[in-house]
């Protein structure tokens, strides 16, 4: 009689409902191993629409979001190289969801600066394919949204949110909730939101305060910005302090 396959080599079993805990654990342990090998301890995470295109003509000029994200990621990456030299290794990597649109723009800016960048891709039936600007060894593929979100925030020292749809809203509000409830150890992490006109037209944050649904101080959990230079001016001191104070 032939030997049966070992359980960890039994593909039908590994894809079964019973093996779901193993798959979840794999999406924690395998990225952890790669991040450690690449000495990734600090990231700046970009969120935003997958549907924005660099050359798309529309009534709202959404291609401007793409190029603003690319430029911001580029300038941040350039500064990260300076910070790494000053602090002897405490730079940061740009991290995105790995797909097209704003995600691609962020990885593209990092690549233009000749720095490593991370893509946390997720398997979806449409829209989501890894972009060509991710550093190859930092190209990840997730099945579980919640494991992907864990890795978005695990090393994050700042979040940059560009206009987006349901996915962007999900990522933004989950992050703000974790900060508001101090479920993140670094609950003072900077959250920058690009294009105040978009966000203020979309979400009436002060009305939540008026209705007593959030505290006035909760409006300080995020900061709007209109240009890459404004974003850099705000982010640099916060980001540098978080990195310098990092205890490991």
């Amino acid at each position: 009689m032939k030997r049966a396959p070992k359980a960890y080599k039994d593909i039908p079993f590994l894809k079964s409902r019973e093996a779901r805990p193993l798959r979840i654990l794999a999406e924690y342990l395998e990225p952890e191993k790669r991040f450690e090998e690449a000495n990734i301890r600090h990231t700046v995470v970009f969120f935003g629409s997958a549907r924005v295109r660099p050359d798309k003509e529309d009534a709202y000029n959404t291609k401007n979001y793409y190029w603003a994200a690319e430029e911001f990621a580029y300038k941040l990456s350039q500064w990260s190289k300076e910070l790494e030299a000053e602090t002897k290794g405490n730079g940061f990597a740009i991290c995105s969801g790995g797909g097209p649109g704003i995600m691609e723009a962020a990885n593209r800016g990092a690549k233009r600066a000749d720095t490593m960048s991370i893509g946390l891709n997720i398997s979806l039936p449409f829209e989501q394919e890894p972009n060509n600007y991710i550093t190859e060894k930092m190209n990840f593929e997730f099945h579980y949204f919640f494991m992907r979100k864990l890795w978005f925030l695990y090393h994050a020292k700042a979040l940059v949110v560009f206009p987006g749809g349901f996915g962007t809203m999900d990522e933004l509000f989950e992050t703000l909730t974790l900060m508001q409830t101090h479920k993140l150890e670094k609950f003072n992490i900077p959250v920058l939101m690009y294009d105040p006109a978009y966000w203020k037209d979309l979400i009436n944050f002060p009305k939540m305060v008026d209705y007593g649904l959030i505290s006035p101080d909760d409006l300080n959990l995020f900061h709007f910005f209109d240009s890459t230079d404004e974003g850099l001016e705000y982010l640099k001191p916060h980001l540098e302090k978080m990195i310098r104070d990092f205890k490991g």
Side-chain angles (χ1 to χ4, degrees):
M1 181 180 293
K2 291 176 60 178
R3 292 180 184 271
K6 293 185 172 76
Y8 63 83
K9 292 184 177 180
D10 185 344
I11 300 303
F13 165 69
L14 291 175
K15 291 182 176 181
S16 69
R17 179 186 62 80
E18 291 78 7
R20 183 178 292 128
L22 297 178
R23 298 195 298 275
I24 292 170
L25 189 60
E27 292 200 350
Y28 177 81
L29 294 175
E30 193 272 345
E32 182 179 48
K33 178 176 183 291
R34 274 203 269 168
F35 284 132
E36 286 181 355
E37 289 173 348
N39 196 33
I40 299 293
R41 295 186 297 166
H42 311 296
T43 61
V44 172
V45 179
F46 278 66
F47 294 143
S49 176
R51 302 188 184 192
V52 170
R53 294 292 182 269
D55 54 356
K56 181 182 176 183
E57 298 294 339
D58 58 45
Y60 297 100
N61 290 318
T62 56
K63 66 181 180 182
N64 292 342
Y65 293 142
Y66 181 100
W67 292 112
E70 194 274 346
E71 180 73 7
F72 198 34
Y74 170 73
K75 289 181 176 179
L76 282 169
S77 297
Q78 291 283 67
W79 178 60
S80 174
K81 290 193 285 189
E82 297 173 16
L83 187 62
E84 187 164 3
E86 291 172 10
T87 59
K88 297 181 180 179
N90 269 332
F92 57 87
I94 298 297
C95 177
S96 83
I102 296 300
M103 297 173 280
E104 176 186 289
N107 293 123
R108 185 172 183 168
K111 185 167 184 177
R112 178 157 68 100
D114 196 26
T115 59
M116 180 185 297
S117 73
I118 301 159
L120 305 183
N121 200 54
I122 190 158
S123 300
L124 296 176
F126 56 90
E127 283 187 345
Q128 190 77 16
E129 293 291 336
N131 68 68
N132 293 324
Y133 301 99
I134 303 164
T135 301
E136 188 172 357
K137 65 180 180 180
M138 290 288 100
N139 180 26
F140 295 85
E141 187 77 15
F142 288 87
H143 177 77
Y144 298 102
F145 268 112
F146 63 92
M147 293 308 301
R148 182 185 186 227
K149 288 177 181 176
L150 182 151
W151 286 115
F152 273 139
L153 295 178
Y154 195 88
H155 295 296
K157 301 301 183 294
L159 300 172
V160 182
V161 189
F162 276 77
F166 291 162
T168 303
M169 299 300 159
D170 175 49
E171 291 156 350
L172 170 63
F173 277 101
E174 180 156 356
T175 300
L176 292 177
T177 301
L178 291 171
M179 292 168 61
Q180 180 197 52
T181 56
H182 291 199
K183 288 294 185 179
L184 281 181
E185 183 178 351
K186 49 201 176 185
F187 59 85
N188 59 338
I189 183 172
V191 176
L192 277 73
M193 298 167 65
Y194 185 78
D195 187 4
Y198 173 84
W199 293 108
K200 291 177 182 180
D201 183 54
L202 189 69
I203 305 167
N204 190 339
F205 289 105
K207 192 166 189 175
M208 295 180 186
V209 175
D210 294 342
Y211 275 60
L213 305 178
I214 62 173
S215 301
D217 285 347
D218 290 334
L219 297 181
N220 297 323
L221 293 173
F222 51 87
H223 176 83
F224 296 115
F225 74 114
D226 249 334
S227 70
T228 57
D229 288 339
E230 180 188 350
L232 282 170
E233 183 179 356
Y234 177 84
L235 186 56
K236 276 185 175 182
H238 292 82
L239 186 54
E240 186 168 4
K241 184 178 188 309
M242 291 201 73
I243 289 175
R244 290 186 186 275
D245 291 349
F246 180 70
K247 303 299 182 185

